[in-house]
Amino acid sequence: MTSHKLNVLVYTGTGSTVESVKHAIYTLRRLLSPNYAVIPITETVLLKEPWAPSCALLVFPGGADLGYCRVLNGEGNSIISQYVRRGGSYLGFCAGGYYGCKKCEFEVGNKAMEVVGSRELAFFPGTCRGGAFKGFQYHSEKGARAVRVNVAKDAFRGAGAVPEVFTSYYNGGGVFVNSADGNTDIEVLASYANELDVDGGPEKAALVYCKVGQGSAILTGPHPEFAAANLSPQNDVEGYDELIATLRADDDARTSFLKACLTKLGLEVTQETSGVPSLSRLHLSSISSNDIDDLLHSWEEIITREDGEEYIRAENDTFHLQKPETMWSVTGLREALTSNDSPDQKSPNMSGEGIIDYSTIVKHIVTHETAWPEAKATPYFNHNAFYSSLQEYRRSEPEAEEWGDFLMYGEVVTSTNTLLEKNFKLLSRLPSGFTLTATTQVAGRGRGSNVWVSPAGSLIMSTVINHPAHLAPSRPIVFIQYLAAIAIVEAVKSYDRGYDEVPVKLKWPNDIYALDPRQPSSSSPSYVKIGGILSNCSYSSGSYQIVLGIGINTTNGRPTTSLDALLPSHLAPFRIEKLTAGILTRLEALYKTFIRRGFTRDMEGAYYKHWLHGRQIVNLETQGGVKARIVGITTDWGMLRAEELGSDDRPTGKIWALQSDENSFDFFRGLVKRKI
């Protein structure tokens, strides 16, 4: 399998500050989505996980670099250095900039704050000396200021348009000095325009680029990742409102400069910088529209009425129930036209409004009790095509009778899984097969700390499965993700005549991979991830309520490839509505068989038919690198079954049952073992 570098990892462990992390993640997601997944990680991941092969950029935000040293000196820094020298990229903001230098000098002479010492990474072979400006205080904005930075435009040839000067937030950062004269591996990207309070040398270097082996690093003194929209007023800091206004006025230049820096590090930047779109209405419908009234009746106990309007105030989100004919009532118009300060306003565009707490924004559910939503109300999802496909697929799946009957669709949502799983008051009243689907997610979730990049063109759905608790011992919940994986692959291959050769595969335990169409046919086959499954579980009234999330790159080619890219020219592109219906009908049929008979030999055979791991040899790192061959999954708890191999690659007789580490980036590294 080919390892494509799609992850941008932001360190959030010991030494980092919450504010610096928030700004870094916000800005990087804004500039790099949908090409990369921006993921927060801790020192544990850096030390224990095989993160490097899939990492396009490692980011160390602001904070206190002594904290970084405390947990990463030695082994951790060796891993980071090796990653960069082998072709990786490092971006250090402020404290991350100090950390990447050979020597740190901070507040020399100020005994309460002085930090002086060598640093192990030494990407910059000189010293980072700070604070460049006086006044810094830990955990305070009193030393913050807006600084002018002159850009060395010659350093950005081929990196797009860059400003000659921009304004950046600053709070405690350093200036880079004492690099060896004539060192061609070091470039000054920008210099402080203001006079400094320390000796900054002739260049007053505010940002530097360092060529490190086959890789590179950019280190900053100021904070070009801080957006004015995400700074809060500080009543106890004189002039802070002016600081925010100054930064806001020059935000375009700051953004252009940061784009150029990311491009210089080899990343593909989203040039239009389109902000995260506003949340849309959710449209609730049913294959038989009259059934919506029955569903709403079952919600009666959780509906509250305020000023003639109906709400469901659940644990994480508030839902406002509307009818199609009242969407543009006086109340509806008021909500559509009110200022962005209104709590009922749809979420503002992130490009102008900064970080958003989506849980505070009311979600509007339009209940379609007499007819399916019109095409103009949901231009990116055709309900007629979905329900027609559902009926068509059911003709060949006799056991598929109910799943998909109730569908809720939103053009833009936070996360289909979050909207269901985090709102138990609503979830506990949903029938099996209730499905929430969307065109775009702005906060999609993956396993562990992973995020699923889900731009328009992805199939995004979450389905509710009420699994009887008394059956759990003999019908373990873990197998439901395997049923979903089988359903996805079989739905793709049975989409229509001629689609049976579409090269999609399963990767244990819950990923969907495709043959990479970008690889030349003469080379050995390589596969890339195009989809995943996320299962969340809770308990209520004698049933485990499973929210089964599925995401598949269907028509969108980023961040890896898509189903459409796999098709020969004579086959029509996939329609998300039809594929969603196909997955639901196949999954329902498989689940009902599973309830009756368990994980059957036919299911096991179907899983092995499509998976990538037939007799694959792996190393069990927790056992000192013991070599083992994958031979299947256990039929009791769905763990990976492997036979140990000796030095001659012959079986030793030992069999291992392996389960994946929830936080792992590579499920064949760091496997947790249990001997059978």
Side-chain angles (χ1 to χ4, degrees):
M1 287 174 286
T2 299
S3 177
H4 291 271
K5 296 188 175 184
L6 300 173
N7 293 330
V8 172
L9 307 182
V10 180
Y11 178 77
T12 64
T14 301
S16 65
T17 64
V18 172
E19 283 302 308
S20 292
V21 166
K22 284 169 57 179
H23 280 274
I25 289 177
Y26 163 81
T27 295
L28 291 169
R29 284 181 176 166
R30 183 176 178 231
L31 298 184
L32 297 175
S33 178
N35 301 323
Y36 304 90
V38 179
I39 302 172
I41 60 168
T42 64
E43 59 265 29
T44 302
V45 172
L46 285 175
L47 290 166
K48 303 297 183 183
E49 298 290 349
W51 54 269
S54 60
C55 179
L57 176 66
L58 178 64
V59 181
F60 270 68
D65 93 316
L66 281 179
Y68 304 162
C69 295
R70 188 164 65 251
V71 296
L72 294 172
N73 273 358
E75 182 184 2
N77 286 333
S78 176
I79 293 170
I80 295 170
S81 180
Q82 185 179 76
Y83 156 73
V84 176
R85 293 182 186 282
R86 290 182 175 178
S89 297
Y90 174 97
L91 177 56
F93 295 119
C94 196
Y98 284 109
Y99 189 54
C101 292
K102 186 175 182 179
K103 185 179 180 181
C104 168
E105 292 181 3
F106 182 71
E107 294 294 317
V108 175
N110 181 345
K111 292 190 179 298
M113 300 180 68
E114 180 178 287
V115 178
V116 178
S118 61
R119 296 292 183 264
E120 293 180 348
L121 292 179
F123 297 145
F124 179 73
T127 299
C128 186
R129 180 177 294 150
F133 303 95
K134 292 180 179 178
F136 173 76
Q137 297 180 30
Y138 283 109
H139 310 297
S140 171
E141 291 294 298
K142 290 184 178 179
R145 61 175 66 196
V147 298
R148 297 289 281 170
V149 181
N150 294 323
V151 178
K153 297 188 73 170
D154 286 348
F156 291 100
R157 289 175 182 169
V162 291
E164 291 190 3
V165 62
F166 71 97
T167 305
S168 177
Y169 175 91
Y170 169 92
N171 197 0
V175 57
F176 301 92
V177 298
N178 299 335
S179 65
D181 292 337
N183 188 338
T184 57
D185 289 337
I186 306 300
E187 293 180 81
V188 175
L189 301 182
S191 301
Y192 291 107
N194 313 71
E195 288 301 316
L196 305 184
D197 292 324
V198 296
D199 180 4
E203 294 179 294
K204 298 192 295 185
L207 291 94
V208 291
Y209 171 86
C210 314
K211 184 65 178 172
V212 185
Q214 295 176 304
S216 56
I218 288 180
L219 312 178
T220 85
H223 282 280
E225 82 282 15
F226 272 44
N230 295 322
L231 294 172
S232 302
Q234 304 288 322
N235 296 329
D236 62 336
V237 179
E238 184 177 353
Y240 202 83
D241 288 344
E242 289 79 5
L243 178 152
I244 294 176
T246 301
L247 293 173
R248 181 177 287 114
D250 207 26
D251 195 64
D252 287 345
R254 175 196 66 83
T255 302
S256 295
F257 175 78
L258 192 53
K259 284 181 181 178
C261 289
L262 293 168
T263 301
K264 191 172 179 71
L265 287 172
L267 281 84
E268 186 174 352
V269 178
T270 305
Q271 290 299 330
E272 66 273 16
T273 319
S274 55
V276 174
S278 300
L279 301 183
S280 64
R281 288 183 170 88
L282 301 167
H283 294 267
L284 177 62
S285 63
S286 175
I287 194 167
S288 176
S289 297
N290 293 335
D291 291 342
I292 292 295
D293 185 60
D294 293 333
L295 182 65
L296 293 175
H297 183 73
S298 71
W299 295 357
E300 191 65 29
E301 291 182 2
I302 62 173
I303 294 175
T304 60
R305 291 170 175 81
E306 305 167 25
D307 299 325
E309 302 292 329
E310 295 184 333
Y311 295 88
I312 296 174
R313 300 194 180 278
E315 291 80 359
N316 191 69
D317 296 283
T318 295
F319 301 93
H320 178 199
L321 303 180
Q322 298 176 298
K323 298 184 185 303
E325 60 271 19
T326 62
M327 281 173 57
W328 303 112
S329 64
V330 173
T331 300
L333 286 169
R334 174 173 57 79
E335 290 176 351
L337 298 174
T338 46
S339 70
N340 287 343
D341 294 330
S342 167
D344 276 0
Q345 172 69 358
K346 292 189 293 183
S347 68
N349 187 301
M350 193 176 285
S351 64
E353 294 298 328
I355 298 169
I356 299 171
D357 182 358
Y358 287 107
S359 65
T360 65
I361 299 170
V362 174
K363 283 70 178 179
H364 303 275
I365 299 178
V366 181
T367 59
H368 295 267
E369 300 173 51
T370 59
W372 298 333
E374 298 179 7
K376 65 180 181 181
T378 60
Y380 297 99
F381 190 89
N382 187 310
H383 285 75
N384 183 70
F386 169 74
Y387 287 120
S388 297
S389 298
L390 195 65
Q391 291 170 322
E392 179 183 348
Y393 280 123
R394 284 177 177 175
R395 295 189 188 103
S396 58
E397 293 278 13
E399 293 204 69
E401 302 171 318
E402 302 166 330
W403 291 19
D405 277 2
F406 290 107
L407 182 81
M408 190 154 68
Y409 164 79
E411 182 179 327
V412 182
V413 305
T414 51
S415 158
T416 55
N417 259 45
T418 296
L419 285 170
L420 296 176
E421 184 245 335
K422 297 295 184 183
N423 293 293
F424 183 74
K425 186 182 291 186
L426 176 62
L427 174 63
S428 62
R429 288 164 172 79
L430 298 179
S432 286
F434 181 100
T435 298
L436 173 58
T437 187
T439 296
T440 300
Q441 289 185 137
V442 296
R445 294 162 56 197
R447 279 174 68 95
S449 60
N450 292 345
V451 290
W452 178 249
V453 182
S454 47
S458 299
L459 183 155
I460 307 163
M461 59 181 281
S462 294
T463 296
V464 177
I465 302 174
N466 296 308
H467 189 64
H470 71 276
L471 290 178
S474 59
R475 307 291 187 268
I477 293 171
V478 66
F479 282 101
I480 293 176
Q481 66 181 337
Y482 300 148
L483 300 182
I486 296 169
I488 292 167
V489 173
E490 292 187 347
V492 168
K493 290 179 173 291
S494 63
Y495 179 82
D496 212 332
R497 185 176 301 172
Y499 290 76
D500 54 317
E501 296 299 322
V502 176
V504 288
K505 295 283 188 180
L506 312 177
K507 179 187 174 189
W508 180 85
N510 53 14
D511 288 331
I512 308 300
Y513 273 62
L515 187 68
D516 191 346
R518 297 166 295 187
Q519 294 294 318
S521 57
S522 58
S523 62
S524 58
S526 63
Y527 288 82
V528 292
K529 182 177 177 178
I530 62 165
I533 301 162
L534 176 65
S535 180
N536 300 109
C537 185
S538 57
Y539 179 83
S540 175
S541 303
S543 290
Y544 289 105
Q545 293 188 295
I546 299 159
V547 177
L548 188 73
I550 294 172
I552 307 169
N553 292 349
T554 306
T555 66
N556 58 302
R558 297 299 179 96
T560 55
T561 189
S562 67
L563 289 177
D564 276 1
L566 306 176
L567 295 176
S569 58
H570 67 279
L571 292 180
F574 284 93
R575 287 200 64 170
I576 287 175
E577 299 92 336
K578 181 176 178 179
L579 184 57
T580 302
I583 292 171
L584 280 170
T585 52
R586 191 72 197 105
L587 180 58
E588 182 182 5
L590 286 168
Y591 176 77
K592 288 183 174 177
T593 301
F594 174 66
I595 289 296
R596 289 199 322 272
R597 300 171 54 197
F599 195 70
T600 65
R601 285 187 176 274
D602 287 344
M603 293 175 183
E604 190 177 3
Y607 192 80
Y608 296 152
K609 177 182 177 182
H610 301 303
W611 80 337
L612 287 166
H613 312 301
R615 302 189 68 76
Q616 178 183 358
I617 295 177
V618 298
N619 292 315
L620 308 183
E621 290 191 342
T622 56
Q623 290 302 300
V626 168
K627 190 183 293 186
R629 179 185 287 118
I630 304 300
V631 293
I633 55 176
T634 66
T635 55
D636 51 359
W637 297 107
M639 302 171 82
L640 199 63
R641 193 167 179 268
E643 59 180 8
E644 186 177 289
L645 301 178
S647 58
D648 57 356
D649 283 349
R650 292 184 178 180
T652 65
K654 288 184 179 179
I655 300 293
W656 302 91
L658 310 167
Q659 63 184 32
S660 68
D661 178 347
E662 285 289 339
N663 296 314
S664 180
F665 291 94
D666 181 345
F667 291 119
F668 295 120
R669 308 278 308 268
L671 292 171
V672 180
K673 57 86 183 174
R674 177 174 67 86
K675 186 178 177 182
I676 295 181

